[in-house]
Amino acid sequence: MRKTYIDIAKGISILLVILGHMNRFFEYDGRLNQVVYSVQLPVFLLIGGYWLRLKEQETPMEFLAGKFYRLMQPYFLFAFFSIIYTWPKDAGEFGYYVAGMLWGIGICNYLPNLPIWFLTMFFVANIWFYLILWTGKLGKKPWQSYLLEGVAVLLVMFAGWKIKVREVRLPWGFELAMILQGFFFAGHLWRACEDWWEREGLIFGKRKTAVLLLAAAIALPVWLLCVKWNGRVDINAAWFGHKGLWSFYLAALAGSYLILLASAALAKCPPAAWVFSLFGKNSMVIMATHVPVLLWLDGVITPLMPAVIQINNRSKNWIGIAYHFAAIALLSLFVSLLLKKNPYEREKKNTKYT
């Protein structure tokens, strides 16, 4: 069952991904990028843990096949076409890109379409958390299950960090998927708390609102201070900031919570909910297409625009930034809708407005 506020959170996050990749306007270590990169991908990871559940009638192979179909088939499709549109100059460069596609990490220009590295890592991360949830089944009581899952998460993260400090980059972001399991677990706990609130009949109660706002008042300064202390992070490059993993996690969890809370508020405004959830529902394709769309924008669309747009396209002013951001976001959304099997599919019955 879809939840509107979750789709909105994904929509906000994918727009932050686009904003973070507008390199012509914002410095790599600039304050804006520090804030954007602290939450743009952690939100997706947290939502991954929110939805991942063990299903009674689903075998491990069925789970694996389902995740492969949803994540890896699009990855290889977009990776292949990214090699085609870059048009390698010789057989050596073509072989390099093919090897990079199989390796599946976004460094050393292995992937012409860099953002799709996230799909491979996310696939591996889902498998790790699936195994962690199986560990939790050993507990006889809920608190025992959560304790076992938490211990398993810490062990997996520790092992991934040990690999990372040796400066070893494994295929498909294997070590990153281990280090980032804390976000999956946080999403898992978020879902458990939400279910508890609903069972207790407090979903619209004043107590819940007070607790959420108090947590937001704590999360906001924690997020901003940790971002300032930690500086720019880059998950793809396995760089978690100047202070280390603890500060990265604090900033990411606090910022992700604020985005989820803002998304729940936006869900009560139908026009805003529709726009952001539309981006959220198509976030995977937008992530995979917004860089090619950028090239298309520069080479095809901008030359057809009025002179004021052409002049300011690469200028660091409100015209250049607004045009660049809006055009990439809308064109990427347009491409994703074209690629959908059934863009008119009705989802009202499967959507929960929360």
Side-chain angles (χ1 to χ4, degrees):
M1 179 182 291
R2 302 196 76 103
K3 292 191 176 182
T4 300
Y5 89 97
I6 295 294
D7 286 330
I8 292 173
K10 290 168 62 179
I12 293 173
S13 298
I14 197 62
L15 291 172
L16 291 177
V17 169
I18 294 174
L19 183 63
H21 289 161
M22 292 172 57
N23 299 327
R24 68 181 60 173
F25 299 112
F26 307 115
E27 297 179 2
Y28 179 83
D29 291 319
R31 288 294 175 87
L32 179 66
N33 272 347
Q34 289 180 21
V35 172
V36 167
Y37 275 76
S38 70
V39 292
Q40 58 175 3
L41 296 183
V43 170
F44 286 110
L45 297 166
L46 193 145
I47 292 174
Y50 180 94
W51 286 121
L52 188 55
R53 287 292 183 271
L54 297 179
K55 300 177 182 178
E56 292 183 2
Q57 298 180 346
E58 183 182 56
T59 66
M61 287 305 300
E62 288 174 338
F63 170 81
L64 187 64
K67 289 299 179 183
F68 190 91
Y69 175 79
R70 178 167 176 77
L71 296 171
M72 296 309 300
Q73 282 194 354
Y75 166 77
F76 283 114
L77 176 67
F78 289 122
F80 174 77
F81 280 104
S82 70
I83 294 174
I84 298 301
Y85 78 68
T86 53
W87 201 256
K89 60 180 180 294
D90 53 38
E93 187 174 62
F94 177 79
Y96 181 81
Y97 284 152
V98 170
M101 176 179 66
L102 298 176
W103 196 252
I105 59 176
I107 61 173
C108 300
N109 295 321
Y110 288 147
L111 296 170
N113 188 0
L114 184 62
I116 61 174
W117 74 270
F118 182 78
L119 298 180
T120 56
M121 188 278 294
F122 194 59
F123 173 71
V124 176
N126 272 271
I127 296 174
W128 271 115
F129 196 65
Y130 182 78
L131 296 174
I132 288 169
L133 291 181
W134 271 97
T135 302
K137 290 185 69 175
L138 299 175
K140 296 181 179 180
K141 297 181 179 180
W143 70 267
Q144 293 174 337
S145 296
Y146 291 126
L147 179 60
L148 288 171
E149 290 165 0
V151 172
V153 166
L154 291 175
L155 291 175
V156 171
M157 289 177 60
F158 178 76
W161 184 259
K162 282 295 185 181
I163 297 172
K164 186 264 180 188
V165 295
R166 293 177 179 270
E167 298 185 358
V168 176
R169 296 304 305 270
L170 298 179
W172 295 14
F174 191 85
E175 76 285 359
L176 291 179
M178 299 171 73
I179 294 171
L180 299 172
Q181 283 302 298
F183 294 112
F184 271 76
F185 189 55
H188 180 57
L189 294 179
W190 174 272
R191 176 71 176 272
C193 291
E194 189 175 79
D195 291 343
W196 180 81
W197 278 99
E198 292 181 357
R199 286 195 306 269
E200 295 295 320
L202 300 172
I203 188 167
F204 297 114
K206 294 182 179 180
R207 279 185 290 175
K208 180 182 178 181
T209 302
V211 169
L212 293 177
L213 292 178
L214 177 61
I218 297 172
L220 180 59
V222 169
W223 178 37
L224 296 177
L225 287 174
C226 287
V227 167
K228 183 178 180 180
W229 292 335
N230 215 28
R232 173 70 146 76
V233 300
D234 192 335
I235 296 176
N236 172 40
W239 172 248
F240 300 105
H242 301 299
K243 297 295 183 180
L245 199 60
W246 69 270
S247 183
F248 161 71
Y249 256 97
L250 273 179
L253 290 174
S256 297
Y257 170 75
L258 293 171
I259 287 178
L260 288 168
L261 197 61
S263 300
L266 287 171
K268 302 180 185 300
C269 177
W274 182 82
V275 171
F276 284 107
S277 62
L278 186 62
F279 279 96
K281 293 172 185 176
N282 296 280
S283 57
M284 183 179 70
V285 180
I286 293 174
M287 182 174 290
T289 58
H290 72 276
V291 170
V293 162
L294 169 60
L295 300 178
W296 189 42
L297 177 68
D298 286 343
V300 178
I301 302 299
T302 302
L304 302 177
M305 298 299 288
V308 64
I309 295 295
Q310 296 184 41
I311 295 172
N312 292 282
N313 177 42
R314 293 178 177 271
S315 300
K316 193 174 181 180
N317 56 36
W318 72 268
I319 296 177
I321 294 174
Y323 164 72
H324 197 76
F325 178 74
I328 293 175
L330 293 175
L331 286 172
S332 300
L333 178 62
F334 176 71
V335 172
S336 69
L337 293 175
L338 288 178
L339 294 176
K340 290 187 71 171
K341 293 180 180 179
N342 183 7
Y344 303 104
E345 180 181 2
R346 294 183 180 271
E347 297 180 338
K348 291 184 179 179
K349 294 182 179 180
N350 298 321
T351 302
K352 182 172 183 180
Y353 289 87
T354 302

